[in-house]
Amino acid sequence: MAILTVTNLDLFYGAFHALKAITMMIEEKKITAIIGPSGCGKSTLLRMFNRMNDTIENIRITGEVCLDGKNIYNMKTEREIDRLRRKVGMVFQRPNPFPLSIFENVAFGLRIHKKAKGQVLKEIVEASLKAVLLWDDLKHKLKTSSLRLTLEQQQRLCIARVLAVKPDVILLDEPCSSLDPIATRRIEELMIELKKQYTILLVTHNMQQAARISDDTGFMLLGKLIEFGQTSCIFTNPREKETVDYITGRYG
Amino acid sequence: MKKIFTFIKDFLIERIIFLCGILAIIFVFLIFLFLLNQGISFFGAYSLWDFLGGKFWYPASDPPQFGILSLVIGSLFVTIQAALISIPLGVMTALFIAEIAPPVIKDILKSVVELLAAIPSVVIGFIGMITLVPLVRKLFNIPTGLSSFSGALMLAFMAMPTIVSISEDAIRSVPWSYKEGAIALGATRWQTMYRIILPASLPGIMGAVMLGMGRVIGETMAVMMITGNAAHIPSSVFDPVRTMTATIAAEMGETVKGSTHYHSLFAIGLVLFIITFIINFIADTFMRKTRR
């Protein structure tokens, strides 16, 4: 079942045509990777799904992005967009925990949406930290500042923060690019674990990562989605010449 | 030959820059020494305890009384009122400039606020005297508008530029990634502001507030013109008060050089110096915290 569908999507930053006629379907509870060289528009595409591009001025969008069959670009009110962002969580390239305690970081989403408080809140925080395998290490230091954690722990905390609001989709924008190889592997294992419950969209410049963990892969170049399909096909039997060139390392 | 010349030039310029830097420290130190020297000799003639704890400032009566308690309270009273007005106003203005205002309004507001800092305090005092003082008198139906409240209103104005521009810097230096994280979790603009941006920039804002208060407590001309200058402990905000600064400014010209009265004014200056030093020190501590 496709949870997200993109139809004929174009995006312009001023005069720059950043996304060109993108059409794709993202399957529920799978990991979909988007790969491509720097500047190809993969992060821009990712930011379409939770309307993060709205924070940029001078932007023009045509086409459709549908979540559960509803075009999210038809949403008019701030409330609707805030609700969308609760359903579609995002993890950024550099871990960006808030300068608050570990507990308050995870509780943030629940507090602003007034979803839970007191004992329920504590339970959700615990469950979220357990899901990202931080609970055992941090259960006695929930009140310390999140900025004291290692980068890997910070990134896990950022994932826990997203899980706490129970999203349907999680967008990850090169989540391992500031981590070392061992931490990267552990975050990858976490992503595989998470896809049992969530639909995951992963932007990565690390082809091996896409090959290791994703079910579907899209290859982008200069704003176009060159090829999209099952990861095994893309990496062993690509149709397009550009894809072949990229995955064999001729540019990127 | 050319190399030696470059070497000498570098050496000289380095020394000159060093000298300029060190001069600032020397001047502050000398001023403090001078104040200390002049002020200390006062305590040979008058007890420190009666000076700090005495309620009556009667330098011309016989025997004279040099109690500065009412002056200290006057200064603090005006400062606290000015703080209550200028802190919320200033911080919210800063938040508006940094986070909400569209670019055009932001530019206009910023230059206007900076312009506010350029108005000489005697002009602010004068404007306050002829417009604000009668207004306050009528509005609250009190015998005189020359009160601590009028003074605080004017001082709040004078503290605004400091509070606004330094707070705005602190707010703007909150990393975009924090805001991005909050927005991506579905936080509204206001939730992002008060749950993330304000706490993250709080040390900087505290520093801004302390610097603003330092300016207020040291301000002389405007308070002298507006607060009524009655050296007694106020019982309401509409009572006239006299501040430490106004006392020094008003009486320095009338004293005999070297007299006890003359030295007592330096002793007040010393107290003032210590208070502003503490305030600046606190401000600095907060500012350092943000930079980290």
Side-chain angles (χ1 to χ4, degrees), chain B residues 86-138:
Chain B
S86 63
I87 293 171
L89 209 59
V91 172
M92 280 194 257
T93 308
L95 209 54
F96 180 73
I97 293 177
E99 290 294 320
I100 303 171
V104 185
I105 295 177
K106 181 188 287 194
D107 288 345
I108 296 173
L109 250 177
K110 267 180 91 163
S111 12
V112 171
V113 166
E114 270 152 33
L115 205 67
L116 207 59
I119 304 174
S121 69
V122 65
V123 173
I124 290 194
F126 184 62
I127 294 172
M129 207 160 80
I130 57 173
T131 60
L132 184 72
V133 167
L135 186 74
V136 167
R137 185 174 59 82
K138 265 189 229 142

Side-chain angles (χ1 to χ4, degrees), chain A residues 47 50 52 55 82 85 88 90 92 96-100 108 111-113 147 161-162 165, chain B residues 103 176-189 191-192 194-196 199-200:
Chain A
R47 286 161 172 264
N50 63 347
M52 272 313 267
T55 56
D82 290 340
R85 289 182 182 144
V88 184
M90 184 166 219
F92 296 85
N96 61 344
F98 303 129
L100 306 169
F108 184 84
R111 288 202 197 279
I112 58 172
H113 301 309
L147 303 180
R161 186 170 77 183
V162 168
V165 291
Chain B
W176 166 245
S177 67
Y178 291 168
K179 286 181 229 172
E180 207 173 35
I183 293 168
L185 281 169
T188 61
R189 200 140 94 156
Q191 286 170 329
T192 310
Y194 88 99
R195 284 185 185 266
I196 300 296

Side-chain angles (χ1 to χ4, degrees), chain A residues 53-67:
Chain A
N53 288 327
D54 289 16
T55 56
I56 300 164
E57 281 165 30
N58 224 341
I59 206 162
R60 199 160 57 80
I61 294 161
T62 60
E64 280 187 359
V65 178
C66 293
L67 173 68

Side-chain angles (χ1 to χ4, degrees), chain A residues 96-197:
Chain A
N96 61 344
F98 303 129
L100 306 169
S101 70
I102 294 165
F103 184 90
E104 285 304 321
N105 261 279
V106 184
F108 184 84
L110 298 161
R111 288 202 197 279
I112 58 172
H113 301 309
K114 301 192 172 58
K115 279 280 164 194
K117 52 185 175 183
Q119 192 54 36
V120 185
L121 180 74
K122 276 185 196 151
E123 279 163 19
I124 297 176
V125 170
E126 180 178 340
S128 308
L129 285 173
K130 273 181 178 158
V132 297
L133 308 176
L134 280 178
W135 178 254
D136 290 331
D137 290 340
L138 301 181
K139 62 184 166 194
H140 298 303
K141 334 185 224 183
L142 294 177
K143 289 205 169 119
T144 56
S145 165
S146 63
L147 303 180
R148 296 238 190 101
L149 300 174
T150 65
L151 276 181
E152 185 202 341
Q153 287 175 321
Q154 288 188 5
Q155 196 60 301
R156 281 175 187 272
L157 184 67
C158 290
I159 298 173
R161 186 170 77 183
V162 168
L163 298 184
V165 291
K166 301 198 165 57
D168 299 330
V169 182
I170 303 174
L171 312 172
L172 297 112
D173 189 358
E174 304 191 23
C176 302
S177 63
S178 53
L179 303 182
D180 65 54
I182 295 166
T184 298
R185 209 187 68 206
R186 289 205 292 251
I187 296 282
E188 286 175 7
E189 283 162 5
L190 175 62
M191 284 191 267
I192 292 171
E193 191 57 37
L194 289 177
K195 84 168 182 181
K196 289 175 189 160
Q197 290 181 59

Side-chain angles (χ1 to χ4, degrees), chain B residues 251-257 259 261-262 265:
Chain B
E251 295 178 10
M252 193 49 103
E254 301 164 4
T255 59
V256 181
K257 197 175 172 208
S259 65
H261 186 192
Y262 175 85
L265 297 181

Side-chain angles (χ1 to χ4, degrees), chain B residues 16-134:
Chain B
I16 289 169
I17 292 172
F18 173 76
L19 197 71
C20 293
I22 207 84
L23 268 182
I25 300 173
I26 292 173
F27 285 150
V28 172
F29 192 68
L30 285 181
I31 288 170
F32 179 68
L33 272 189
F34 179 73
L35 263 181
L36 198 67
N37 179 36
Q38 296 286 325
I40 284 281
S41 52
F42 169 73
F43 298 112
Y46 203 81
S47 97
L48 175 67
W49 197 238
D50 288 344
F51 174 68
L52 289 177
K55 284 184 198 161
F56 302 106
W57 180 259
Y58 297 146
S61 55
D62 191 28
Q65 291 197 50
F66 297 105
I68 62 163
L69 192 64
S70 60
L71 310 181
V72 174
I73 289 176
S75 275
L76 294 180
F77 196 53
V78 173
T79 304
I80 289 167
Q81 286 178 66
L84 289 178
I85 301 164
S86 63
I87 293 171
L89 209 59
V91 172
M92 280 194 257
T93 308
L95 209 54
F96 180 73
I97 293 177
E99 290 294 320
I100 303 171
V104 185
I105 295 177
K106 181 188 287 194
D107 288 345
I108 296 173
L109 250 177
K110 267 180 91 163
S111 12
V112 171
V113 166
E114 270 152 33
L115 205 67
L116 207 59
I119 304 174
S121 69
V122 65
V123 173
I124 290 194
F126 184 62
I127 294 172
M129 207 160 80
I130 57 173
T131 60
L132 184 72
V133 167

